[in-house]
Amino acid sequence: MAEIQLTDLTKSYGPTEVLHHVEGDIKDGEFIVIVGPSGCGKSTLLRMVAGLESVTSGEIRIGDRRVNELEPSARDIAMVFQNYALYPHMSVRENMAYGLKIRKLPKGEINRRVEEAADILEIHQYLDRKPRQLSGGQRQRVAMGRAIVRDPQVFLFDEPLSNLDAKLRVQMRLEIRKLQQRLGVTSIYVTHDQVEAMTLGDRLMVLNGGYVEQFGTPIELYDRPASVFVAGFIGSPAMNLLPAEAHSDGIVLPTGVKLAGAQTQSGSVLLGVRPEHLVPDQDGPIAIDVDMVEQLGANSLLHGTLSGTDHAMVASIPGHVATANGTQQRFSAAPEVLHLFSPETQKRLDA
Amino acid sequence: MIENRPFTSFLSHLILILGVIAIALPIWITFVAATHNELRMNQTPLPLWPGTYLWENLQKTLFGKGLSGSETAPVWMMLLNSLAMAMMISVGKIAISLLSAFAIVYFKFPFRMTCFWMIFITLMLPVEVRILPTFEVVANLGLLNSYWGLSIPLIASATATFMFRQVFLTVPDELLESARIDGAGPMRFFWDILLPLSRTNIAALFVILFIFGWNQYLWPLLITTDTSMTTIVMSIKQMLEAAEQSPQWNIIMTTALLAMVPPIFVVISMQKLFVQGLTETDK
């Protein structure tokens, strides 16, 4: 069990800097999810913590040790890879025991730990099979088992669920979370899936283009996104964003309608409002021309444009609706669910 | 076959059967010749059915002085020589090329690609091309008439290195990373993971190299002058020439038959691995 400190971490490949001054303190036992679109540097960051990529500048500390120069095996970590990286010619038991065998643990101790991990993951009946005889979900468990037997200070997960089908992914997600809570091991988990990130993480680190956009709890990210990127990335369907004009007594939409409410900002802004925060209201100020309705059962998504403009809008309303395509619907939104961003810096304005 | 046309299937069977006959007939004649005595073999027409002298011929060939009147080594010794040469060539080649491919794929060192291309260029220089300089080197090292002299010049070759490089490139990087996290050093990774994963490829290559080594003719002919170092493949040719009178076909054919046995044994015993090694892509 250990804290992890990332201090002013950068990574360059030749002259190209791919990670820019990443900072972060991870508390003991915390589950951190690094999330971002592909190519944002999230896997690179994880691999730097694992010791598979060198650190260009800055410092990584695990527990009270600086680990920049340590070999992966000396960092007391365990990693679960996207394609599981099980040794194909070894049985499940040998796969799990391999690291311990190299560390020259006594046979009895190795057996005890393998049995214990097999109990936790319920993979007893597969112990003598080869990885190729297992299904994706079972291989995933074995990969986790291999991490558990090492009894490390830190678990690292590199998109471990992306090779599984949707249903299994949800199930394994819950299992990973339960397991982590039970073992209490500090974990870093990389994913591009925002739902996975929201459900798993104690805190999320949103990366974009090698910059940390925001580092906070899922609810913080949802309620107070620090930038347009985070606002669009967290939450599904994505937040509606409109160019607007802020005045001291309200916000003027591109249609000319004013949303009342005192504002500390003035000038042109980007107005963000989540689809689920648009409330149907006969006299609401926000009018949407609906082009398409998606019925999801529990709720319905109305896709359309802001009346009189070509700004795309989505509204999510509970239950079934009989709204026809091509009609106009009116909505209102409470002042506290409006988000304002600067059009220039793309950052949150009322911070 | 998806189609089922009697005529096509008759024709394809006919062609295949003709092919089998074309390949098998000489071997049959060799076998038949090995079962008759010398007298019968010099009469026309040649026999097409086995005689009763197989056992006698085998004894004469294996343990006798070879052809009557010539001073060759007994055939069992030649078989042993050939076996030693073929084994040394194939094992040596596999060991060296595994290690060099390992170095080229998994280590970054200056002039890595230069090294690779230099190894690769030796593909263009088989023994036949460099036979005189190689002979000079081997002679200066005092390796004439020795197993080392027979095998070392043939061990140096790029094919196996190249093949293992391709095999190692298909091994996912995550396995290496996983092994690093498990604490396996480079040689440990090589032994515990890379070698078992290349098992079938090693077997396939062994079959090919064993036959390549067994069939060497020119090089052994050049560097062995001592009859006790003669290999079996060169001895067959020598037997034909050595005969002052008409060739003793029964002995020669028995020798040829014996020369076929070890390669056949290697191919049959490693057939399963051989096919896997050449077709398997799943790592």
Side-chain angles (χ1 to χ4, degrees), chain B residues 63-80:
Chain B
F63 304 110
K65 276 260 174 235
L67 297 174
S68 53
S70 69
E71 286 288 310
T72 54
V75 168
W76 67 265
M77 203 174 201
M78 298 180 195
L79 279 170
L80 214 62

Side-chain angles (χ1 to χ4, degrees), chain A residues 47 73 87 89 98 146 150, chain B residues 177-179 181-183 192 196:
Chain A
R47 293 162 56 85
S73 54
Y87 309 122
H89 58 290
Y98 186 62
R146 196 166 61 169
R150 296 176 49 100
Chain B
E177 290 170 353
S178 189
I181 291 176
D182 274 339
D192 286 354

